[in-house]
Amino acid sequence: MAAADKKKKDIKDEDQDDENESAEEPKKTGSKLKLIIILIVVLVLLGGGGAASYFIFFKAKSQTADKKQEAKPQVAVFLPMDPFIVNLIDNEGERYLKVVMQLELSDQLMLEDVKKINPKIRDAILELLAAKTYKEMIDPLGKQKLRDEITMRSNLIINSPKGKVVKVYFTEFVIQ
């Protein structure tokens, strides 16, 4: 009987081992499945983050680079003016001002139109220069104000939808 009891005990032990193994298998399989799901979720999140950063940082830079390539380089158009020589208003004696300037135009297309009305522009500038005093012209702020006034008067005369005078450059400025 001891042998029969031993067989029964061995059978019970095997059954318990099988139950323990089968109980461990779902735990191992479940934990492996959870690990795989977690890895997949992490990979998807990393991929999504990488794609988002690409579109935010690299696409924005490439779009600004495309805009820079599309924009035509602006070529400055200059109209040289003949020299202006005027008497300055001064109580201490006669003072003369010689100014040579160039007008920067916003568009090449308006160059011919401005050349046609050059006498009107010269007249307005001569009138403006003759009204200036010696003290105004030796002051750097006075020169800047003069640039602005010439630009404004020139644009009033030109009055063109094609463009305007952008800036005035003095190439000679002599007071004597």
Side-chain angles (χ1 to χ4, degrees):
M1 249 211 259
D5 286 336
K6 193 174 182 183
K7 275 188 180 181
K8 282 183 183 179
K9 191 176 183 181
D10 287 341
I11 292 173
K12 282 184 182 180
D13 286 341
E14 285 178 18
D15 287 341
Q16 284 178 353
D17 287 343
D18 288 342
E19 285 177 13
N20 287 342
E21 286 178 15
S22 62
E24 288 177 13
E25 280 181 29
K27 287 181 184 177
K28 288 182 183 178
T29 308
S31 65
K32 285 182 183 179
L33 184 62
K34 286 180 184 178
L35 183 63
I36 290 172
I37 290 172
I38 290 172
L39 286 174
I40 289 173
V41 169
V42 168
L43 288 174
V44 167
L45 289 175
L46 287 175
S53 65
Y54 170 77
F55 284 113
I56 290 171
F57 297 111
F58 296 113
K59 271 297 200 193
K61 288 180 183 177
S62 66
Q63 287 175 353
T64 55
D66 291 343
K67 286 180 184 178
K68 287 179 184 176
Q69 289 175 355
E70 288 174 8
K72 294 178 183 175
Q74 186 87 12
V75 177
V77 180
F78 293 100
L79 175 66
M81 303 290 285
D82 291 333
F84 294 90
I85 300 174
V86 296
N87 292 328
L88 292 175
I89 300 171
D90 190 20
N91 293 336
E92 296 175 12
E94 288 188 19
R95 302 279 185 167
Y96 299 99
L97 171 66
K98 178 183 177 186
V99 178
V100 180
M101 65 182 81
Q102 293 194 14
L103 306 179
E104 181 180 356
L105 306 176
S106 63
D107 196 348
Q108 178 73 33
L109 298 173
M110 66 181 290
L111 185 60
E112 290 303 317
D113 294 342
V114 174
K115 283 183 180 179
K116 290 177 186 174
I117 59 169
N118 192 14
K120 285 184 177 181
I121 296 171
R122 284 189 59 80
D123 179 59
I125 294 172
L126 276 171
E127 190 177 306
L128 178 65
L129 291 173
K132 297 295 178 181
T133 65
Y134 171 72
K135 288 181 182 180
E136 286 177 309
M137 293 298 95
I138 60 170
D139 183 22
L141 292 176
K143 290 176 186 174
Q144 183 57 46
K145 184 179 174 188
L146 179 64
R147 279 189 180 101
D148 296 339
E149 289 174 343
I150 292 171
T151 302
M152 184 184 68
R153 285 190 182 204
S154 300
N155 284 326
L156 286 174
I157 293 168
I158 294 169
N159 196 18
S160 172
K162 294 179 184 175
K164 63 180 184 173
V165 174
V166 178
K167 193 169 181 182
V168 174
Y169 296 96
F170 296 133
T171 54
E172 282 186 52
F173 199 92
V174 180
I175 299 173
Q176 190 174 359

